[in-house]
């Protein structure tokens, strides 16, 4: 197993490897945000990505790095939904058996999508971390290869390809605002951007309900958090007591981390729907939420916001939009 931390070259290697499996998602201007913060704001639309989130990038890069023997034996993943869907999709494409461990809290639309891709679903426990423990046991019992959702050099490099696309589309980019949970997404993007231009500001956004990376950064060591229900269900879970990569990468390459409330997330989702006709899940809308709420200390002249996923359960989106239109804070 590769234990070296990923670098820029790994991101370029990932770019070539995953090219045929992913969409080159658009970067669009947001006139509405421009009005609010008086700086150009661009949205990177990974909600339009294959499987409805960026997770397909890292999952593809990791699975394509496995040996024939590992592929034959199969893969296992623990997921809050989107990573499981991505792994199931790649596994289906290459005829690899896949087991996805989820907790009882994963929204039904995400469970349904995983099931439709033919993966075996194991519901293990009431939280992401209980599902994690279940997956570790099954991995050993069945000789499967674990596809980690964030703490893996191939996964981080895969997510980092978003950073390359940001620079290609907007060489003058000076700020990147990115949803943050385990840190594969922000870690990959930040290491890519900072390696190419150290002046670019990198900012992570988490929900204020159980923000594991935020608390760990503050304490300077891995902190456990209590999982709470949140609109940003894709961001739940802690970063792992044996975190090997993402904690150090975030410490090294990230300038600022901010938290948003449930009402602010709802406002972000509603803004995306009303101003951009975009369906964005809670975890995908935290960047917009942070900008709307004035939480980011320094907004640059050319700010990019990663919209990381679309997979919201429709009744939830309808309720959120009805309650928070026109994007007032519903607390
Ligand atoms: C997984 C996920 C994130 C967080 O990614 P990490 O690599 O765990 O930080 C953000 N948004 C969505 C939609 C996700 O599925």
């Amino acid at each position: 197993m590769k234990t070296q931390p990923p670098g820029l070259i790994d991101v370029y290697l990932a770019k070539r490897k995953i090219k045929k499996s992913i969409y080159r998602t658009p970067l669009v201007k947001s006139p509405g945000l421009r009005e609010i913060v008086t700086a150009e704001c661009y949205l990177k639309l990974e909600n339009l990505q294959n499987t409805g989130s960026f997770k397909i990038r890292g999952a593809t890069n990791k699975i394509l790095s496995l040996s024939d023997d590992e592929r034959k034996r199969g893969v296992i993943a623990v997921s809050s939904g989107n990573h499981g869907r991505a792994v199931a999709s790649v596994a289906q494409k290459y005829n690899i058996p896949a087991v996805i461990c989820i907790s009882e809290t994963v929204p039904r639309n995400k469970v349904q999508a995983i099931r439709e891709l033919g993966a075996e679903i194991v519901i293990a426990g009431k939280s992401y971390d209980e599902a994690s423990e279940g997956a570790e046991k099954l991995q050993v019992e069945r000789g499967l290869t674990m596809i980690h959702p964030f703490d893996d050099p191939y996964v981080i490099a895969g997510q980092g390809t978003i950073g390359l696309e940001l620079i290609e589309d907007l060489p003058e980019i000076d700020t990147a605002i990115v949803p943050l949970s385990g840190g594969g997404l922000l870690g990959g993007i930040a290491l890519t951007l900072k390696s190419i231009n150290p002046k670019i500001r990198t900012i992570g956004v988490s929900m204020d309900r159980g923000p594991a990376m935020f608390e760990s950064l503050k304490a300077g060591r891995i902190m456990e958090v209590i999982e709470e229900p949140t609109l940003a269900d894709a961001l739940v879970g802690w970063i792992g007591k044996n975190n090997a990569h993402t904690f150090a990468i975030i410490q090294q390459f990230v300038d600022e981390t901010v938290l948003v409330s449930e009402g602010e997330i709802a406002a972000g989702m509603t803004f995306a729907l009303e101003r951009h006709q975009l369906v964005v899940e809670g975890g995908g809308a935290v960047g917009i939420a942070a900008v709307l709420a004035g939480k980011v200390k320094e907004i640059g002249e050319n700010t990019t916001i990663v919209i990381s996923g679309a997979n919201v359960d429709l009744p939830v989106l309808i309720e959120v939009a009805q309650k928070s239109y026109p994007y007032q804070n519903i607390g």
Side-chain angles (χ1 to χ4, degrees), residues 46-330:
E46 285 292 301
N47 57 317
L48 304 181
Q49 187 52 269
N50 182 7
T51 70
S53 87
F54 69 91
K55 292 266 186 359
I56 190 80
R57 293 176 185 259
T60 302
N61 194 40
K62 176 66 180 180
I63 290 173
L64 292 184
S65 78
L66 301 182
S67 68
D68 286 346
D69 182 52
E70 286 170 322
R71 291 192 202 191
K72 223 173 271 155
R73 278 184 283 135
V75 296
I76 184 165
V78 53
S79 172
S80 59
N82 289 337
H83 175 63
R85 179 166 170 179
V87 168
S89 171
V90 182
Q92 186 188 50
K93 184 169 166 183
Y94 295 101
N95 257 317
I96 299 168
V99 180
I100 309 299
C101 289
I102 57 174
S103 79
E104 288 160 16
T105 61
V106 172
R108 64 189 160 172
N109 64 310
K110 291 183 174 175
V111 182
Q112 181 62 21
I114 296 167
R115 190 167 287 129
E116 281 169 14
L117 288 163
E120 178 185 343
I121 296 176
V122 175
I123 298 179
K126 291 187 176 53
S127 69
Y128 177 87
D129 297 314
E130 285 179 27
S132 247
E133 282 167 29
E136 273 164 36
K137 257 199 231 146
L138 261 184
Q139 177 200 6
V140 178
E141 277 168 29
R142 299 205 203 165
L144 304 168
T145 299
M146 181 70 78
I147 310 298
H148 199 281
F150 54 86
D151 199 25
D152 179 292
Y154 287 99
V155 171
I156 297 164
Q159 327 303 28
T161 57
I162 294 168
L164 296 179
E165 293 175 18
L166 290 174
I167 295 235
E168 282 163 18
D169 288 355
L170 189 74
E172 63 271 42
I173 172 178
D174 56 20
T175 310
I177 300 174
V178 182
L180 171 61
S181 175
L185 177 64
L186 175 61
I189 292 174
L191 93 81
T192 301
L193 295 177
K194 291 276 191 190
S195 302
I196 295 173
N197 177 4
K199 289 199 191 118
I200 298 171
R201 272 178 65 74
T202 52
I203 297 156
V205 187
S206 304
M207 69 289 176
D208 60 14
R209 296 191 170 176
M213 186 65 82
F214 181 92
E215 296 296 345
S216 301
L217 289 169
K218 208 168 68 177
R221 63 188 171 88
I222 310 294
M223 296 293 282
E224 227 173 306
V225 291
I226 294 163
E227 274 180 49
E228 295 176 62
T230 167
L231 282 171
D233 56 82
L235 305 185
V236 302
W238 62 303
I239 66 176
K241 60 178 179 294
N242 299 318
N243 187 294
H245 297 286
T246 56
F247 183 52
I249 291 173
I250 300 286
Q251 275 181 316
Q252 184 180 353
F253 292 109
V254 173
D255 296 305
E256 185 181 346
T257 47
V258 301
L259 302 181
V260 288
S261 69
E262 294 300 297
E264 288 161 354
I265 296 169
M269 294 167 76
T270 307
F271 179 94
L273 188 58
E274 206 235 330
R275 293 297 186 97
H276 291 275
Q277 301 77 47
L278 290 174
V279 170
V280 178
E281 61 180 285
V286 293
I288 297 176
V291 172
L292 285 175
K295 292 265 171 93
V296 181
K297 270 194 231 127
E298 272 180 61
I299 298 251
E301 290 298 305
N302 291 289
T303 292
T304 58
I305 303 169
V306 175
I307 311 301
S308 51
N311 299 324
V312 56
D313 208 22
L314 186 57
V316 172
L317 180 63
I318 290 169
E319 197 191 319
V320 161
Q322 234 156 21
K323 272 198 201 156
S324 69
Y325 178 84
Y327 9 102
Q328 76 263 22
N329 191 320
I330 57 167

Side-chain angles (χ1 to χ4, degrees), residues 26-28 30 33 41-45 276 278 288 305 307:
L27 185 69
V28 301
S30 178
L33 288 183
C41 288
Y42 299 81
L43 309 180
K44 174 64 170 168
L45 300 185
H276 291 275
L278 290 174
I288 297 176
I305 303 169
I307 311 301

